[in-house]
């Protein structure tokens, strides 16, 4: 049987990708960010997932106002790197797991979560920056990512966006789907985006480190309660783009009901306009 062994949570700031791609990761500003992922890279090498179910949001690259899926699962064999206006990031393409993705789509849709099935999708910084943070620099000419990835895109850009409660319950349905896949696979689920940030309007630049850290506490200790938090609290306390954090609840809902083991916790301000948060939780 396939099993979800761990979950990883991380911000996806696009400038982190640029810093790595341009070799600026040892500069003092960026070194403080990358230092928070040193443990994570070793941990990931040792935990050797076969597949990462990667929950992220597209930023009007694969989708646009023409079509806005609330939840989109990537069922393709591979996914190209999106050109976000300055050429695709120099990272390897993403190799999918069509059999597991199709199985999850089948199970979760039968469980009443209406996913959009996507057979062609370019993946943007929302997905590639977490991969770079966790795996380090990879040369697309000679390296591959060390595991398969099922991209799972959530609309947190255009209202109406899904509630935290719906995301948490969807995570539970994903857990059930993975556990009913008849192959021994080590599966991780990653929740990405956040933490507090606002990129627009009079409050642009907003950061709320206290609320972010309470979010991390609640995600670890009382995720069901955290799932009840309404959108208005995210927007008021964590800024308009802080709503990306509902995606972390999908990953948390996919974890076992037993308390997780906290392997790593990191929080840092600033990175570009964003507070960077990062957690690794293992199932016990
Ligand atoms: C920034 C953060 C994001 O999450 C994003 O998608 C784009 C930009 C930023 O901090 O600049
Ligand atoms: Fe974003």
């Amino acid at each position: 049987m396939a099993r979800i062994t761990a979950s990883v949570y991380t911000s996806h700031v696009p400038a982190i990708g640029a810093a790595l791609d341009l070799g600026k990761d040892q500069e003092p500003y960026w070194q403080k960010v990358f230092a928070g992922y040193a443990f994570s890279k070793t941990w990931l090498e040792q935990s050797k997932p076969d597949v990462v179910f990667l929950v992220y949001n597209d930023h009007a690259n694969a989708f646009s106002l023409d079509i806005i899926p609330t939840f989109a699962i990537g069922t393709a064999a591979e996914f190209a790197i999106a050109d976000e206006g300055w050429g695709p990031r120099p990272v390897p393409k993403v190799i999918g797991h069509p059999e597991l993705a199709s199985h999850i789509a089948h199970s979760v849709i039968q469980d009443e979560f209406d996913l959009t099935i996507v057979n062609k999708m370019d993946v943007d910084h929302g997905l590639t920056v977490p991969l770079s943070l966790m795996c380090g620099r990879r040369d697309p000419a000679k390296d591959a990512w060390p595991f398969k990835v099922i991209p799972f895109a959530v609309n947190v850009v255009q209202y109406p966006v899904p509630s935290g409660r719906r995301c948490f319950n969807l995570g539970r349905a994903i857990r059930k789907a993975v556990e009913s896949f008849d192959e021994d696979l080590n599966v991780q689920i990653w929740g990405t985006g956040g933490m507090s940030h606002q990129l627009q309007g009079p409050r642009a630049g907003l950061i709320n480190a206290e609320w972010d850290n309470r979010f991390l506490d609640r995600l670890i200790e009382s995720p069901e309660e955290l799932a009840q938090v309404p959108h208005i609290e995210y927007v008021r306390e964590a800024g308009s783009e802080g709503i990306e954090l509902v995606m972390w609840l999908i990953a948390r809902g996919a974890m076992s009901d037993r308390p997780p083991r906290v392997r790593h916790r990191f929080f840092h301000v600033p990175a570009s306009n964003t507070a960077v948060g990062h957690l690794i939780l293992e199932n016990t």
Side-chain angles (χ1 to χ4, degrees):
M1 286 304 177
R3 273 180 319 117
I4 294 178
T5 53
S7 52
V8 173
Y9 308 81
T10 179
S11 308
H12 66 209
V13 190
I16 293 177
L20 200 62
D21 300 343
L22 299 171
K24 292 178 185 286
D25 47 311
Q26 291 314 311
E27 290 185 1
Y29 180 94
W30 290 113
Q31 206 280 331
K32 296 189 188 78
V33 175
F34 287 101
Y37 293 81
F39 168 86
S40 315
K41 283 190 252 182
T42 311
W43 173 86
L44 185 61
E45 272 167 28
Q46 287 165 357
S47 52
K48 292 189 176 50
D50 299 302
V51 186
V52 168
F53 188 94
L54 206 158
V55 182
Y56 76 109
N57 69 291
D58 177 73
H59 300 76
N61 290 302
F63 305 117
S64 69
L65 292 180
D66 289 349
I67 299 181
I68 307 169
T70 303
F71 299 117
I73 186 164
T75 44
E78 57 181 63
F79 303 88
I81 307 304
D83 180 348
E84 301 185 46
W86 47 89
R89 287 192 60 216
V91 295
K93 67 185 175 188
V94 168
I95 304 300
H97 197 306
E99 298 80 13
L100 179 59
S102 304
H103 170 83
I104 293 172
H106 184 87
S107 174
V108 165
I109 290 170
Q110 288 299 313
D111 250 344
E112 298 166 14
F113 291 90
D114 304 319
L115 309 184
T116 300
I117 293 163
V118 186
N119 289 312
K120 186 170 188 301
M121 178 164 71
D122 292 357
V123 288
D124 77 5
H125 71 268
L127 182 134
T128 63
V129 167
L131 282 177
S132 293
L133 279 168
M134 293 297 296
C135 303
R137 210 165 170 175
R138 301 265 156 166
D139 180 348
K142 50 181 203 297
D143 303 326
W145 298 115
F147 40 73
K148 294 180 171 171
V149 175
I150 299 177
F152 190 86
V154 180
N155 169 40
V156 287
V157 170
Q158 177 64 45
Y159 279 78
V161 302
S163 67
R165 187 190 301 122
R166 183 150 177 81
C167 288
F168 187 71
N169 288 333
L170 170 60
R172 287 182 159 159
I174 292 167
R175 182 206 313 174
K176 184 174 144 195
V178 169
E179 287 174 352
S180 62
F181 187 67
D182 196 12
E183 190 182 327
D184 279 336
L185 289 178
N186 173 358
V187 180
Q188 290 182 3
I189 184 162
W190 295 9
T192 69
M195 296 197 87
S196 58
H197 62 306
Q198 171 144 347
L199 303 176
Q200 46 171 324
R203 295 202 308 163
L206 177 145
I207 299 283
N208 187 345
E210 196 187 323
W211 189 90
D212 285 338
N213 276 291
R214 268 208 318 120
F215 182 92
L216 295 174
D217 294 340
R218 292 186 286 176
L219 191 76
I220 295 165
E221 288 156 20
S222 51
E224 285 198 55
E225 255 175 74
L226 180 61
Q228 309 306 319
V229 167
H231 287 142
I232 193 70
E233 180 176 327
Y234 287 90
V235 176
R236 188 181 61 228
E237 301 295 334
S240 50
E241 278 63 50
I243 191 65
E244 289 180 342
L245 284 167
V246 291
M247 297 187 288
W248 294 29
L249 284 163
I250 298 180
R252 188 66 181 89
M255 293 291 283
S256 146
D257 294 331
R258 287 186 300 281
R261 181 184 303 122
V262 181
R263 286 307 301 272
H264 187 52
R265 178 171 173 161
F266 174 67
F267 181 77
H268 175 76
V269 178
S272 189
N273 302 293
T274 309
V276 168
H278 174 40
L279 272 182
I280 298 177
L281 304 182
E282 283 177 350
N283 269 333
T284 53

